[in-house]
Amino acid sequence: MSNVWRPAFADPASAEPETPASPDLQDESEVSPMTPVEAIPDEPLPDGRYSDRELSWLAFNKRVLELAMDQDRVPLLERAKFLAIFSSNLDEFFMVRIAGLKRRIAAGMATPSASGMMPRELHDAILARTHELVDEQSRVFEDVVRPQLAAEGIKILRWSELTESEKTPLTQLFHDRILPVLTPLAVDPSHPFPYISGLSINLAVQLRHPATGALSFARVKVPNILSRFLRLTGDRFVPLEDVIASHLDALFTGMHIVAWTTFRVTRNEDVEVEEDDAESILYALEKELLRRKVGRPPVRLEVEDDINETMLELLTRELDVSAKEVFRLPAPLDLRGLFSLTDVDREALLYPGFIPLTNPHLAEVETAQAADLFSALKRRDVLLHHPYDSFATSVQRFIEQAAADPRVLAIKQTLYRTSGDSPIVDALIEAAQAGKQVLALVEIKARFDEQANIAWARKLEKAGVHVVYGMVGLKTHCKLSLVVRDEGDQLRRYAHIGTGNYNPKTARLYEDMGLLTSNAVITEDVARLFNHLSGITQEINYRRLLVAPHGVRKGLIEMIDGEIANHRAGIPAGVRIKVNSIVDEQVIDALYRASNAGVPVDLWVRGICGLKAGVPGLSENLRVRSILGRFLEHSRLFWFANGGKAHVGIGSSDLMHRNLDRRVEVLVQLTNEPHIAQVEELFRLAFDDGTASWWLGPDGWEKKTTDAEGRPLLDMQSHLISVMSQRRGQV
């Protein structure tokens, strides 16, 4: 009997026996099959068992802010970067989540969220909590990070703090490079209030006519042609808006400058495409992106805390924002500008340098010569763990080698997000130009990357690549690559199934896993899935894959129920899951039932967590941990005890409605014992009391980063860097 994820997705009796790609691959017959279990009857669960997803997301961003506050474990410039990440995260949250919430309020929708909160109540709660968090961010920057940077000679100064010798070249820079691109816009009877683009920094200027004494208002947009913080001598910086504000007399000649301040607007930036009515998804999205540029209502107004009431009243009236949506903050606004400080050459204030290594199963010796991946994959499957394993010498090399290999006949690839100078895209173009059959499934609805993905899609099409723009009603979020190679006696397929995007840049910053394989059963599954995505099939059954929207939720709940049955039968049972977010009520309820039945449940969640941990009578056997650090934890891992024969998978899917119902997602089962052991070790480390993490309890998240004596606990990511660097000599 073939080992399958669950009987619901493949009939074991009808499945052909799996033949390993080589003797080195584990024999499927050695893996115990999953036994069908009777459905676990629904048990009454209490109301109020779900945490609100939006407030949970704010709790996640609070953990990001706590990294900026962590002087024991996080170097100073990295703490400044976490302040910038906090701001960037919050921007996207308002542009998408709060924008959607405001749309529901405007439409008069009175449906409560899963947590029981009504839209207006939730909106008020979010704004109140956000005010607390941004106030805390400002305090951390002003009272802690900024003074510590200054103590290291890295100073962010106001214009009044500059020396005359520093002001002179800035004045020249203003007249040469800044003034020519500035456009002052007056507001008066003949000049209506201008459109304020989202996330732009603007100067609000109050003017007085010298003859009449009449007051007027003008707006100046701060251009993005220069860095947000202009560098002076050494590591001294001044905000660009300060330079502009100090030369307003050059813009408003003959007028008296009464007052000036900075402000920033966040707008609804979510994309809405009615695919069912569109002749072309691509055409519909292009039109929607054009509409995004204008007419998007504001969802937040940030102003300086010393703004005068006249200007504040004008801004709130013209932008139609409520008092609750106004955030009064100390200058400088928009701390995303702190990203630029990471360019400061101060190694001691940054994380130690880190160079990913080639996975030793792909190349036993690290050399300048590229490894032959096809030969390596004939011997064994390879489980990759990025960024510790180099993406460039594994996944990228896999695609590049396939493009250059004359024996390769076809390449099929999903692209959700990729880099601006993508070697993956270049390799696909090279392959198509060489006469290979190349399919690229480009998800053009990847939020905030839509325009870039449209450009890549056009470029690929021109090169002769068969481009598919996803499926109507679904985002293609799975991470798949398939190569078909003529090896003389047979055609052999090779595949990569991952948890992260095919983006070489983010692969150095995101923690992800991926499976490279020539296993005949897996590659057959992937081939049939690609045919489903690019053609017209009704395929929903796979032997080693779970595929959303049809199979992931059902398959996972069946396996959770299986663990309940195993526990009741007195055999080993347990559930361990690592995801970015979990909000799906059906999965959460299944985990609650497992906990109540006595099954130990461990959840490793980076971001949103819609369930409550440690609640008597509900989740006493359920532990939730969160780990944040220099790398963005991004992999999705699934482990089930399965009576002592662990059932383990990796994939692209979080446990959210969008992933389970509105996206094409893929989970693949791991069967090689070393791969299973590797995943088990990650869970062991994550849930070890000696590992720095955040613990979710009945009262919320608790930071656990020091021991009883105040000494830092193990940093898991730093530990893995050390362990993985030593691994080569052990293979």
Side-chain angles (χ1 to χ4, degrees):
M1 182 181 294
S2 175
N3 187 39
V4 296
W5 269 96
R6 290 302 299 170
F9 305 99
D11 180 5
S14 64
E16 296 180 3
E18 179 173 343
T19 302
S22 80
D24 289 28
L25 294 176
Q26 182 175 347
D27 190 336
E28 295 292 321
S29 65
E30 297 178 1
V31 183
S32 63
M34 295 292 291
T35 303
V37 299
E38 295 183 4
I40 303 298
D42 290 337
E43 300 176 8
L45 293 168
D47 295 333
R49 61 188 180 274
Y50 307 123
S51 297
D52 183 82
R53 63 161 290 165
E54 316 301 356
L55 296 176
S56 181
W57 185 92
L58 288 174
F60 152 69
N61 215 29
K62 172 65 162 52
R63 298 196 292 278
V64 175
L65 183 58
E66 288 176 343
L67 287 173
M69 302 161 63
D70 193 336
Q71 302 184 46
D72 295 324
R73 299 189 311 130
V74 184
L76 177 57
L77 283 174
E78 303 291 352
R79 288 192 279 126
K81 186 173 72 173
F82 280 119
L83 286 174
I85 292 172
F86 174 90
S87 292
S88 180
N89 287 348
L90 201 60
D91 287 347
E92 183 170 343
F93 178 70
F94 269 85
M95 288 189 294
V96 178
R97 299 303 307 178
I98 304 306
L101 182 60
K102 287 196 69 175
R103 281 200 305 271
R104 293 196 293 276
I105 294 171
M109 296 180 65
T111 305
S113 65
S115 65
M117 300 183 74
M118 301 299 289
R120 288 190 182 277
E121 177 191 9
L122 178 57
H123 187 238
D124 288 346
I126 290 170
L127 291 177
R129 182 58 177 146
T130 304
H131 276 284
E132 295 173 352
L133 289 176
V134 296
D135 286 346
E136 181 71 359
Q137 181 199 26
S138 298
R139 186 197 66 77
V140 171
F141 177 64
E142 290 294 333
D143 297 347
V144 182
V145 173
R146 192 172 188 171
Q148 290 180 354
L149 288 170
E152 295 289 343
I154 305 169
K155 297 183 178 181
I156 301 172
L157 304 167
R158 304 304 301 270
W159 182 263
S160 60
E161 298 174 287
L162 303 184
T163 65
E164 289 303 318
S165 61
E166 289 174 324
K167 290 180 179 179
T168 299
L170 287 175
T171 296
Q172 191 65 46
L173 176 68
F174 173 82
H175 287 283
D176 292 346
R177 303 283 299 176
I178 303 175
L179 178 60
V181 299
L182 296 179
T183 303
L185 296 174
V187 178
D188 57 35
S190 62
H191 298 91
F193 192 86
Y195 180 81
I196 309 296
S197 53
L199 303 188
S200 63
I201 298 176
N202 300 268
L203 291 173
V205 186
Q206 192 175 29
L207 306 163
R208 178 182 290 115
H209 195 282
T212 66
L215 293 175
S216 59
F217 174 88
R219 170 260 193 167
V220 181
K221 182 178 179 179
V222 178
N224 55 11
I225 57 169
L226 295 172
S227 172
R228 173 67 193 295
F229 292 129
L230 300 179
R231 193 164 193 163
L232 307 170
T233 55
D235 293 328
R236 295 162 60 84
F237 300 86
V238 62
L240 175 58
E241 61 267 28
D242 265 27
V243 177
I244 297 173
S246 301
H247 296 86
L248 287 173
D249 56 338
L251 279 171
F252 303 100
T253 55
M255 299 292 288
H256 176 62
I257 311 296
V258 178
W260 68 268
T261 190
T262 54
F263 70 96
R264 182 172 180 260
V265 174
T266 310
R267 293 185 178 273
N268 176 352
E269 297 287 345
D270 203 11
V271 173
E272 302 172 71
V273 179
E274 297 295 333
E275 299 177 21
D276 295 336
D277 299 327
E279 296 181 3
S280 165
I281 296 177
L282 182 63
Y283 177 67
L285 185 60
E286 286 179 319
K287 289 198 301 182
E288 178 61 22
L289 289 173
L290 183 62
R291 285 196 294 270
R292 177 196 272 179
K293 296 180 180 179
V294 295
R296 295 284 184 167
V299 293
R300 178 181 58 168
L301 171 63
E302 297 166 278
V303 299
E304 286 191 43
D305 50 10
D306 61 353
I307 186 173
N308 69 49
E309 292 304 314
T310 300
M311 285 196 286
L312 180 60
E313 192 277 331
L314 183 143
L315 289 173
T316 55
R317 182 183 68 250
E318 294 292 344
L319 293 168
D320 192 23
V321 295
S322 68
K324 295 177 182 178
E325 296 171 307
V326 178
F327 291 78
R328 304 181 70 145
L329 304 166
L333 302 182
D334 188 11
L335 292 183
R336 294 180 306 165
L338 295 174
F339 279 124
S340 63
L341 296 186
T342 56
D343 295 332
V344 174
D345 187 15
R346 306 287 284 276
E347 290 187 7
L349 305 181
L350 296 166
Y351 284 122
F354 165 65
I355 300 175
L357 298 175
T358 301
N359 186 292
H361 291 301
L362 295 176
E364 295 184 3
V365 179
E366 192 84 30
T367 68
Q369 185 175 357
D372 184 348
L373 268 63
F374 296 131
S375 296
L377 297 179
K378 288 179 189 177
R379 295 190 296 270
R380 60 169 64 91
D381 290 355
V382 177
L383 184 64
L384 302 167
H385 194 186
H386 310 298
Y388 315 103
D389 289 324
S390 168
F391 180 89
T393 60
S394 57
V395 180
Q396 182 179 322
R397 173 60 185 163
F398 176 62
I399 306 299
E400 291 175 336
Q401 184 177 334
D405 190 337
R407 293 188 177 184
V408 169
L409 306 178
I411 303 173
K412 300 185 179 185
Q413 177 81 46
T414 63
L415 291 173
Y416 188 75
R417 301 187 196 272
T418 190
S419 59
D421 53 349
S422 174
I424 302 288
V425 171
D426 291 343
L428 296 177
I429 291 173
E430 177 188 338
Q433 292 174 339
K436 296 176 172 59
Q437 292 291 308
V438 182
L439 170 72
L441 203 154
V442 181
E443 181 48 74
I444 58 175
K445 300 187 295 296
R447 181 174 287 135
F448 303 122
D449 279 341
E450 300 95 344
Q451 201 66 57
N453 285 8
I454 289 172
W456 283 124
R458 299 293 196 201
K459 185 177 180 180
L460 288 164
E461 283 183 322
K462 290 180 181 178
V465 175
H466 301 294
V467 178
V468 178
Y469 301 113
M471 303 183 72
V472 172
L474 299 173
K475 280 188 180 181
T476 304
H477 188 250
C478 53
K479 324 299 181 182
L480 301 175
S481 184
L482 182 71
V483 172
V484 181
R485 190 169 186 260
D486 185 353
E487 301 189 348
D489 58 334
Q490 63 173 321
L491 294 182
R492 187 188 295 271
R493 297 187 182 101
Y494 299 83
H496 172 262
I497 305 172
T499 69
N501 297 311
Y502 292 99
N503 188 326
K505 293 183 178 179
T506 58
R508 295 192 290 269
L509 304 172
Y510 287 19
E511 179 275 340
D512 272 301
M513 302 194 81
L515 180 69
L516 281 169
T517 181
S518 63
N519 182 288
V521 172
I522 297 176
T523 57
E524 172 68 20
D525 277 355
V526 173
R528 288 191 288 121
L529 178 55
F530 266 115
N531 287 340
H532 175 63
L533 295 174
S534 65
I536 301 176
T537 74
Q538 297 298 310
E539 186 69 75
I540 61 171
N541 295 317
Y542 304 91
R543 294 164 66 186
R544 286 275 294 278
L545 305 181
L546 283 180
V547 180
H550 302 288
V552 173
R553 176 190 288 111
K554 183 177 180 182
L556 293 178
I557 290 176
E558 285 184 355
M559 284 185 282
I560 295 168
D561 288 348
E563 296 305 307
I564 298 174
N566 288 344
H567 180 75
R568 291 173 175 172
I571 59 178
V575 177
R576 298 173 184 169
I577 294 174
K578 177 180 187 284
V579 288
N580 297 329
S581 298
I582 174 170
V583 297
D584 185 78
E585 292 85 7
Q586 295 180 54
V587 175
I588 289 174
D589 285 353
L591 294 171
Y592 281 145
R593 292 195 303 271
S595 173
N596 287 338
V599 177
V601 178
D602 288 340
L603 297 179
W604 179 358
V605 183
R606 185 190 86 227
I608 303 168
C609 186
L611 53 72
K612 301 178 179 180
V615 178
L618 178 66
S619 53
E620 293 167 283
N621 296 302
L622 199 156
R623 298 189 297 174
V624 182
R625 300 284 188 271
S626 184
I627 293 176
L628 285 77
R630 69 182 294 177
F631 305 131
L632 182 83
E633 292 288 331
H634 193 252
S635 63
R636 292 85 163 184
L637 313 177
F638 304 86
W639 180 97
F640 302 89
N642 191 34
K645 290 286 189 178
H647 197 93
V648 180
I650 67 172
S652 60
S653 183
D654 287 311
L655 300 180
M656 306 177 72
H657 306 118
R658 68 186 188 190
N659 300 96
L660 303 178
D661 296 322
R662 301 190 300 276
R663 291 185 173 185
V664 180
E665 306 277 11
V666 170
L667 310 183
V668 62
Q669 182 190 0
L670 306 179
T671 58
N672 289 12
E673 289 300 331
H675 298 168
I676 292 172
Q678 186 175 342
V679 172
E680 289 176 337
E681 175 62 9
L682 292 175
F683 278 110
R684 186 197 69 77
L685 279 171
F687 285 86
D688 191 298
D689 289 353
T691 298
S693 60
W694 283 259
W695 297 19
L696 181 62
D699 300 322
W701 291 94
E702 182 181 2
K703 182 182 178 183
K704 300 275 191 175
T705 55
T706 58
D707 63 15
E709 286 73 41
R711 293 171 301 199
L713 297 178
L714 177 76
D715 184 287
M716 183 172 175
Q717 294 179 351
S718 298
H719 173 74
L720 288 173
I721 289 174
S722 176
V723 169
M724 302 286 270
S725 65
Q726 299 169 10
R727 178 187 54 174
R728 177 165 295 281
Q730 302 170 357
V731 175

